Amino acid sequence: MSSTISTHPATGIPRVALVTGGSGGIGRAVVDRLARDGFAIGVHYAGNRAQAEATVAAVVAAGGRAIAAGGDVADEQTMSAVFDTVEAEFGGIDVVVNTAGIMLLSPIATLDLADLDRIYRTNVRGTFVVSQQAARRIRPGGAIINFSTSVTRAQFPGYGAYVASKAAIESITLILARELRGKDVTVNTVAPGPTATPLFLNGKDEATIATLATAVPLERLGQPDDIAETVAFLAGPARWVNGQVVFTNGGLA
């Protein structure tokens, strides 16, 4: 990991990122990647405090700066406190990466509506709450990065409720980018394709995984680091990319 501290090009102030769902999967890869770029990191977790603290310890051991902060992304008071904690520790927030989300798969005809409510609470309300806090607090020159899925275009059966929640996230992102006119804050969504994370692999047999991998022209599953590279681009040099959905999927149609 680089020991160089990332600073705002105009002010020289050290840059700070808050990553929701930062203790595992894509979130953990994003934490590691931004830490290598010199960001101080707030590692948010929903339930696995030990995993979040291990993530923080790894960043600190490599010469970086990080703290853990937990809470339900859909609870506005809790997330306000998370933002407060990160700001108090590091002096402000420049980038918010909202990787927190859940995926429950079922045909629409048989979906338990309680599962629909769970998906919407975390994915839609959670993204809205985090985006709202970020819109109020991020310093000029910053970035908000939300997460969708390439299945909004691939339209796999069984993904109806999940894709509906992610399509809502895309809409929230595109509107917020325009609402923040004049604030010098970019707002984008990353839409990964099939990526080898526990969220994606859980409940799938080897044949299904192989089929999804070969559906990609590059003929492999994405890795969390592949997605983290796109996030690092949007968090850093990509100041002219705004109000976009970036499909990071190896060419999946």
Side-chain angles (χ1 to χ4, degrees):
M1 179 182 295
S2 171
S3 60
T4 302
I5 296 175
S6 177
T7 59
H8 189 285
T11 66
I13 297 172
R15 302 188 79 208
V16 179
L18 169 61
V19 181
T20 71
S23 62
I26 290 172
R28 172 65 186 267
V30 168
V31 168
D32 291 343
R33 182 65 177 80
L34 294 183
R36 290 200 303 273
D37 282 350
F39 280 83
I41 312 287
V43 180
H44 163 269
Y45 64 94
N48 196 332
R49 178 176 178 177
Q51 192 170 342
E53 290 179 344
T55 301
V56 167
V59 171
V60 172
R65 300 168 298 153
I67 59 169
D72 176 4
V73 289
D75 185 301
E76 64 272 29
Q77 293 181 338
T78 297
M79 290 313 297
S80 178
V82 168
F83 274 75
D84 287 344
T85 297
V86 176
E87 288 177 333
E89 179 70 19
F90 297 125
I93 298 175
D94 301 282
V95 172
V96 172
V97 185
N98 193 25
T99 76
I102 63 172
M103 180 170 65
L104 303 172
L105 303 182
S106 169
I108 292 170
T110 56
L111 178 71
D112 185 330
L113 292 181
D115 287 343
L116 180 69
D117 291 342
R118 288 177 59 201
I119 293 169
Y120 273 51
R121 176 173 173 79
T122 298
N123 295 0
V124 180
R125 181 183 170 90
T127 295
F128 198 100
V129 166
V130 172
S131 295
Q132 186 178 67
Q133 289 294 324
R136 295 170 177 173
R137 298 177 185 238
I138 282 184
R139 294 185 287 207
I144 300 169
I145 303 165
N146 290 322
F147 267 74
S148 180
T149 173
S150 289
V151 187
T152 55
R153 295 197 306 184
Q155 301 160 356
F156 297 142
Y159 282 74
Y162 179 68
V163 165
S165 74
K166 292 301 188 176
I169 290 169
E170 292 181 12
S171 296
I172 291 168
T173 297
L174 301 185
I175 290 171
L176 182 57
R178 287 146 182 86
E179 290 181 346
L180 294 184
R181 173 184 290 273
K183 301 292 186 180
D184 192 22
V185 173
T186 63
V187 191
N188 294 288
T189 286
V190 176
T195 305
T197 66
L199 180 69
F200 171 79
L201 297 173
N202 184 43
K204 295 183 176 70
D205 58 30
E206 290 298 325
T208 300
I209 293 169
T211 297
L212 291 169
T214 56
V216 177
L218 295 179
E219 296 188 333
R220 68 172 177 86
L221 295 180
Q223 297 298 317
D225 287 347
D226 294 321
I227 313 306
E229 286 296 331
T230 299
V231 172
F233 176 63
L234 294 173
R239 299 307 303 165
W240 198 237
V241 181
N242 188 30
Q244 303 298 317
V245 179
V246 181
F247 288 90
T248 307
N249 60 21
L252 181 71

